[in-house]
C-alpha cells in the first residue's frame, strides 16, 4: 500500500476514533480508503487524479484549452471552457459521491468522510457527502507515525 494511503488511514484512526471512516485524497491519483473502528483497513479505491485527468484531456486533444478548475455557472455549458469545467467538477463530484454511497453499502454503515489533497477544497463545498476537509490530513498521519517511532 502507498505510504500516503497508509498515512491517511493512520490520521483518520487517530483523529476520529469513533466509527468507520472514508478518506478521499484528491491528489495526483484520486483515492478512497476505508478504515474500521478497530483500525483495520477495510479497503482502498485508486482512480485517476483530477488534474492528472485534465492534463491528459488537454494534452491528447488538438483544440481543448487549459482551464481553471472552478465550478461553472451551470451544469450544461455553451462555451468550451464551461463545458470542460462541468465535466471536471461534476464528473469527479459524481465519482466521489458514488464511491461514498457504494462503500457505505458494502460496509453496511454510514462512514465519516474526510477529504484531503490538492484540489479537495473545490469539491468539499459541493456535496454533503464529505464531512470534513483537511488539507493537512496526510501530513498529520505522517506526523503521528513519526512521533511513534
Ligand atoms: N492549491 C491548489 N490549487 C489547485 N490545485 C492544486 C493545489 N495544490 C495542489 N494542486 C494540484 O493537486 C495535485 C497534487 O495534489 P497533492 O495532494 O498535493 O499531491 P500528491 O499527489 O503528492 O498527494 C496536483 O495535480 C496539483 O496540481
Ligand atoms: C495511489 C498512489 C499513486 C496515490 O498517490 P498520490 O496521488 O497521493 O500521490 C500511491 O498511493 C501509490 O503509488 N500507491 C501504491 C499502490 C497502492 O497503494 O496499492
Amino acid at each position: 500500500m502507498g505510504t500516503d494511503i497508509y498515512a491517511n488511514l493512520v490520521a483518520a484512526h487517530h483523529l476520529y476514533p469513533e466509527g468507520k471512516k472514508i478518506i478521499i485524497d484528491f491528489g495526483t491519483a484520486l483515492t478512497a480508503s476505508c478504515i474500521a473502528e478497530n483500525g483495520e483497513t477495510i479497503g482502498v479505491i485508486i482512480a485517476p487524479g483530477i488534474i492528472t485527468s485534465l492534463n491528459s484531456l488537454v494534452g491528447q486533444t488538438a483544440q481543448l484549452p487549459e482551464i481553471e478548475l472552478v465550478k461553472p455557472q451551470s451544469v450544461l455549458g455553451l462555451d468550451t471552457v464551461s463545458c470542460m469545467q462541468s465535466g471536471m467538477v461534476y464528473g469527479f463530484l459524481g465519482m466521489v459521491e458514488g464511491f461514498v454511497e457504494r462503500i457505505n453499502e458494502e460496509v453496511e454503515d454510514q462512514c465519516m468522510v474526510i477529504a484531503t489533497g490538492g484540489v479537495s477544497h473545490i469539491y468539499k463545498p459541493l456535496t454533503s457527502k464529505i464531512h470534513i476537509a483537511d488539507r493537512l490530513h496526510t501530513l498529520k498521519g505522517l506526523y503521528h507515525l513519526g512521533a511513534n517511532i
Side-chain angles (χ1 to χ4, degrees):
M1 185 192 300
T3 42
D4 47 355
I5 293 174
Y6 187 63
N8 280 337
L9 293 165
V10 166
H13 185 59
H14 181 65
L15 295 170
Y16 315 103
E18 306 279 312
K20 297 184 181 68
K21 277 82 58 179
I22 297 169
I23 310 96
I24 311 279
D25 193 330
F26 293 81
T28 312
L30 173 63
T31 64
S33 316
C34 186
I35 184 161
E37 41 277 73
N38 64 0
E40 182 194 340
T41 301
I42 303 176
V44 179
I45 300 170
I46 301 175
I50 293 161
I51 301 295
T52 308
S53 301
L54 177 59
N55 288 342
S56 170
L57 180 68
V58 172
Q60 298 194 38
T61 52
Q63 297 191 63
L64 292 183
E66 288 190 13
I67 57 160
E68 193 186 350
L69 186 65
V70 290
K71 184 178 84 128
Q73 279 184 348
S74 53
V75 175
L76 294 172
L78 286 173
D79 61 273
T80 307
V81 169
S82 309
C83 296
M84 291 171 67
Q85 284 169 334
S86 184
M88 297 309 302
V89 170
Y90 293 116
F92 281 93
L93 185 65
M95 187 192 288
V96 166
E97 290 179 331
F99 284 163
V100 172
E101 274 174 29
R102 284 169 194 278
I103 293 168
N104 283 342
E105 229 173 86
E106 195 158 286
V107 303
E108 297 178 344
D109 209 341
Q110 293 296 310
C111 300
M112 175 184 181
V113 181
I114 304 135
T116 191
V119 293
S120 52
H121 60 288
I122 295 168
Y123 291 83
K124 162 74 172 85
L126 303 179
T127 178
S128 57
K129 292 198 185 293
I130 298 173
H131 303 121
I132 291 178
D134 182 359
R135 295 282 291 276
L136 298 178
H137 184 84
T138 315
L139 291 177
K140 288 177 183 175
L142 285 177
Y143 176 82
H144 185 72
L145 285 165
N148 285 286
I149 286 174

